[in-house]
Amino acid sequence: MDAIEVITTKRDGRPLSAAQIDWVIGAYTAGGVADEQMSALAMAILLNGMDRREIADWTAAMIRSGERMDWSALDRPTADKHSTGGVGDKITLPLAPLVAACGAYVPQLSGRGLGHTGGTLDKLESIAGWRASLSNDEMLAVLRGAGAVICAAGGGLAPADKKLYALRDVTGTVESIPLIASSIMSKKIAEGTGALVLDVKVGSGAFMKTVDDARELAATMVGLGADAGVATVALLTAMDRPLGRAVGNALEVAEAVEVLAGGGPADVVELTVRLAREMLDTAGVHGKDPEDALMDGSAMDAWRRMVAAQGGDPDAVLPSAAETVQITAPASGVLRRLDAYGVGLAAWRLGAGRARKEDPVSLGAGVTLHAGFGDIVRAGQPLMTLHADETERFERALEALDGAYEVGPASDPDALPLIIDRITA
Ligand code: URA
């Protein structure tokens, strides 16, 4: 077998055989297929697609490229959540300890932000001392002690995906449903969770801009989970506006802690509780209700244990940016549009995100929203505060927000509901 044969099969619109997929993923991981050959294949897949059998074979080959974690030594079921990413999406932070407080173990491997969407590990690094990199033994110890762990995936987990994702990022081949589904699910299946809930975001701030595309991605991933013996459910949720009132690393940690203390913005609380119930149901755990665990302090206790077990100080003062600029409402009426992409881009330009994966992020930078989407506002009242370490960042952030919000006489009838649909196998 050689790479040209595999590339031309897909270029000519024919399905790849299991043997071709197995060979090309194995050879690419080992360095026997060059980056330019793999990018040609990724582009052929983006243009010509893959059928369900090919996607399953591709996912299985990526899982086989590395280790598969095993939590069978634990005495309770495991459950995890994966979000396809969005603006202000800090849900993992309160969700993991919340589900732990309700009786399931949560082994959560998370990523860093790239572009306008944030990353859970960057957010948690706002907490002094907190460590993202853990060995498998340390992960197990944190899980046993706190019930939940959030950390970076080690290099041994789906290494084929690590290499391929970096290549797709620079060759215009990210936006392919078969490649996104297999990339996400290879990591989640290799992570060894028993139950998985997918939060597939829809709207300007998400990969998937339309409900139809998001439904196809969700159904593909749910099918891959079921085929691999991982009980998987997906929710389609709105990402046409930011989630909650805080966008940026430390700002989002503060909001997550508010939720764990029984407060926080209504949309963040609603989605956290709904995802927690889905995770517990999917894992077959029927103990405490998540709403009760937020109110009785047990979710907060699990959060404090989890942060401390990873070297963090749960009482540390969070970093804040040196400079702020306030934006006020241009008119009185309803905040009928608050574009997720525009706000995410502004936060990124303020320093909350990175342009290249080796860039540092500013922990205190970002956007605080003083009014949420659909709220009534008065002309001149504060609408947003922008936070940055350097004043020169504000100009380009303000440009990103130009046209990203609108105050009008009535709500937008086309706005997406927070929870749009639920997809099962
Ligand atoms: N996240 C992933 O892990 N992989 C993709 O392909 C897209 C988003």
Side-chain angles (χ1 to χ4, degrees):
M1 197 147 339
D2 66 64
I4 296 171
E5 176 211 309
V6 181
I7 296 165
T8 52
T9 302
K10 188 45 72 183
R11 181 199 67 190
D12 297 342
R14 285 178 282 124
L16 300 174
S17 69
Q20 285 177 314
I21 289 172
D22 210 37
W23 178 84
V24 80
I25 297 280
Y28 180 58
T29 313
V33 166
D35 276 350
E36 57 270 27
Q37 293 174 313
M38 199 57 166
S39 32
L41 180 58
M43 186 58 83
I45 291 170
L46 181 136
L47 295 173
N48 291 328
M50 287 202 285
D51 63 29
R52 179 155 175 189
R53 195 269 311 151
E54 290 175 282
I55 303 173
D57 287 342
W58 188 273
T59 307
M62 293 220 290
I63 295 169
R64 276 196 302 276
S65 73
E67 66 172 320
R68 193 162 172 171
M69 299 177 91
D70 176 12
W71 305 113
S72 56
L74 294 170
D75 57 354
R76 294 197 299 272
T78 49
D80 189 12
K81 184 251 351 180
H82 178 82
S83 160
T84 55
V87 177
D89 183 2
K90 72 282 295 172
I91 298 282
T92 292
L93 276 53
L95 181 65
L98 174 59
V99 171
C102 296
Y105 283 113
V106 186
Q108 167 102 46
L109 298 176
S110 291
R112 297 190 181 276
L114 192 65
H116 73 281
T117 62
T120 298
L121 302 180
D122 296 325
K123 294 172 196 179
L124 281 163
E125 279 176 352
S126 309
I127 302 172
W130 186 85
R131 252 181 342 114
S133 292
L134 301 180
S135 67
N136 290 0
D137 286 347
E138 285 175 316
M139 240 186 120
L140 188 61
V142 178
L143 263 182
R144 282 210 163 105
V149 60
I150 302 174
C151 62
L157 200 100
D161 177 65
K162 195 162 260 167
K163 228 177 141 183
L164 180 56
Y165 191 58
L167 191 66
R168 287 167 55 213
D169 206 30
V170 293
T171 55
T173 50
V174 168
E175 294 88 351
S176 149
I177 287 178
L179 292 177
I180 295 174
S182 55
S183 165
I184 292 173
M185 292 305 289
S186 62
K187 286 174 286 202
K188 288 287 147 184
I189 295 166
E191 172 199 272
T193 186
L196 178 63
V197 176
L198 299 162
D199 181 3
V200 179
K201 300 287 188 198
V202 188
S204 71
F207 270 124
M208 297 294 124
K209 308 292 180 208
T210 68
V211 173
D212 284 350
D213 281 350
R215 197 171 274 124
E216 187 184 335
L217 176 63
T220 307
M221 292 196 290
V222 165
L224 289 171
D227 289 351
V230 179
T232 308
V233 167
L235 296 184
L236 306 191
T237 71
M239 191 34 72
D240 51 348
R241 69 272 187 177
L243 197 51
R245 299 291 184 88
V247 181
N249 301 301
L251 297 169
E252 294 191 41
V253 172
E255 189 169 277
V257 172
E258 275 175 42
V259 171
L260 288 160
D267 57 348
V268 180
V269 176
E270 182 183 340
L271 191 53
T272 303
V273 168
R274 175 63 187 270
L275 287 165
R277 289 193 180 128
E278 293 284 355
M279 286 167 73
L280 292 161
D281 278 355
T282 309
V285 175
H286 304 288
K288 188 183 282 192
D289 184 70
E291 234 162 33
D292 296 337
L294 286 178
M295 292 305 154
D296 69 11
S298 54
M300 179 68 96
D301 289 344
W303 159 261
R304 293 177 64 85
R305 280 198 303 274
M306 178 183 81
V307 168
Q310 291 182 236
D313 174 2
D315 295 314
V317 175
L318 293 167
S320 55
E323 310 289 340
T324 58
V325 162
Q326 203 164 72
I327 297 179
T328 53
S332 295
V334 178
L335 182 57
R336 68 194 306 274
R337 208 166 70 80
L338 183 58
D339 182 58
Y341 179 70
V343 175
L345 188 59
W348 180 41
R349 290 181 176 176
L350 290 166
R354 53 171 68 78
R356 289 167 310 157
K357 62 178 188 310
E358 53 283 358
D359 290 347
V361 295
S362 162
L363 295 172
V367 180
T368 310
L369 303 165
H370 301 297
F373 163 78
D375 285 355
I376 293 173
V377 297
R378 270 176 299 104
Q381 83 167 63
L383 209 52
M384 304 177 203
T385 300
L386 313 188
H387 308 253
D389 289 327
E390 302 97 13
T391 45
E392 55 273 23
R393 288 186 176 270
F394 289 118
E395 192 181 333
R396 296 210 59 230
L398 288 165
E399 275 168 29
L401 289 167
D402 192 24
Y405 55 94
E406 188 186 332
V407 176
S411 313
D412 176 2
D414 296 330
L416 294 166
L418 177 63
I419 297 170
I420 302 158
D421 205 352
R422 178 176 189 272
I423 314 283
T424 54

